[in-house]
Amino acid sequence: TGSSVGTDIDCEGLWRGIYERYLNNIRVKGKSISKITTPTETIDFTLNESFRSDVGSFEDNGGTGAKSLKNISISTGEYCSEWDFTYGYFLSEDFEDQHVVSKRLRLDQVQNSKCEPLENGTENAKPPYIFTYENEVQLPSRISKAIDHWGFYNGAHENEDNFLNIPPSVEGPPPYAEGQFYEGESDRNSNGDYQKAGTLRKIQYPTGGSTFFTFESNAISKEIVVINDLLNLDHDGYCQ
């Protein structure tokens, strides 16, 4: 649930004042799988003891926070193999209070080992798979309006103050008739420099080899016509 506040719309259809953003909280009481048993093997799933800091917890309503997967062990009786997961967080720069929407869980490493240590007590582990991500640009919060038409980050933080996050001169959707427009002000164009923030850059394998990834922006081939002759709007943002 949430609420927003703001001023009225003038006769030209422009929103005045700054609106407070609100969050809709979805509370889910889910189940986490703990074991799979087959005629030939047993697979155990172990969660980390601490809660994830990018997901809210609701202990006051009988719920708990979410936990990330710590490891998966696969046992066939005589042989047992374990896969361990190491995580970090992508942090956003626009939420100083470190609210949950300013964080995103990030998988950093996956490591395979035998379940039991060697006779000398050392871990019997192979080198890990290491994941590296684009970090030259910091991601915004998860509720940021600085997104392109596809929902990817585009660096347009001036969108944050817009009540409706739509580009200039957008035709009203059905059942509104053709010719009804809303005067949007948001920049929803793609920006490749920002769009790749947080994307996977490299996987380093236990053997020493690596795979590098290169991403490009989405593109469209159809010409977009911007309408500059706008009509007045009602309180819902559509023409009378």
Side-chain angles (χ1 to χ4, degrees):
T1 59
S3 61
S4 60
V5 297
T7 55
D8 295 331
I9 308 174
D10 63 22
C11 59
E12 295 180 356
L14 298 177
W15 294 93
R16 302 299 183 188
I18 303 300
Y19 285 77
E20 292 181 359
R21 190 166 315 170
Y22 63 90
L23 299 176
N24 289 323
N25 294 323
I26 300 176
R27 302 181 180 185
V28 179
K29 292 183 179 180
K31 299 289 185 180
S32 298
I33 189 169
S34 60
K35 183 186 295 257
I36 298 175
T37 303
T38 73
T40 58
E41 61 186 8
T42 300
I43 305 174
D44 290 289
F45 301 84
T46 303
L47 302 179
N48 280 300
E49 294 183 3
S50 59
F51 294 125
R52 289 173 53 173
S53 59
D54 64 330
V55 180
S57 59
F58 305 100
E59 289 86 351
D60 56 331
N61 287 282
T64 60
K67 295 182 178 181
S68 56
L69 183 63
K70 180 179 181 180
N71 61 53
I72 300 173
S73 63
I74 305 171
S75 175
T76 59
E78 297 181 356
Y79 178 80
C80 180
S81 177
E82 188 171 272
W83 293 88
D84 297 303
F85 302 91
T86 303
Y87 303 92
Y89 287 93
F90 294 106
L91 301 179
S92 303
E93 59 184 4
D94 47 359
F95 269 78
E96 296 181 358
D97 59 356
Q98 293 298 292
H99 192 276
V100 293
V101 298
S102 69
K103 299 180 180 181
R104 295 173 175 85
L105 188 69
R106 182 189 66 227
L107 178 63
D108 291 335
Q109 293 187 11
V110 177
Q111 190 168 24
N112 179 231
S113 64
K114 289 185 178 180
C115 297
E116 297 296 332
L118 297 176
E119 293 182 358
N120 60 6
T122 59
E123 293 293 331
N124 189 7
K126 300 177 181 178
Y129 293 82
I130 301 175
F131 304 95
T132 304
Y133 303 86
E134 295 288 349
N135 59 5
E136 294 181 3
V137 176
Q138 211 168 5
L139 283 164
S141 76
R142 301 206 306 268
I143 60 171
S144 173
K145 293 182 179 180
I147 55 175
D148 64 13
H149 296 290
W150 291 268
F152 294 101
Y153 181 39
N154 68 352
H157 289 281
E158 62 272 17
N159 295 350
E160 305 293 357
D161 293 336
N162 297 335
F163 183 71
L164 296 180
N165 196 26
I166 64 175
S169 307
V170 174
E171 188 169 356
Y176 299 94
E178 294 183 1
Q180 295 182 331
F181 299 94
Y182 174 80
E183 184 177 359
E185 298 178 344
S186 292
D187 178 5
R188 300 296 297 273
N189 294 316
S190 295
N191 187 319
D193 292 335
Y194 291 94
Q195 191 179 61
K196 65 181 181 180
T199 58
L200 184 63
R201 178 197 299 169
K202 173 185 174 183
I203 299 177
Q204 181 177 316
Y205 299 101
T207 55
S210 300
T211 297
F212 291 85
F213 298 86
T214 302
F215 295 89
E216 62 180 8
S217 298
N218 289 295
I220 57 175
S221 58
K222 183 179 179 181
E223 181 182 2
I224 301 298
V225 178
V226 177
I227 308 298
N228 293 318
D229 186 14
L230 302 176
L231 303 177
N232 289 339
L233 313 176
D234 63 17
H235 66 280
D236 292 319
Y238 295 103
C239 297
Q240 297 281 8

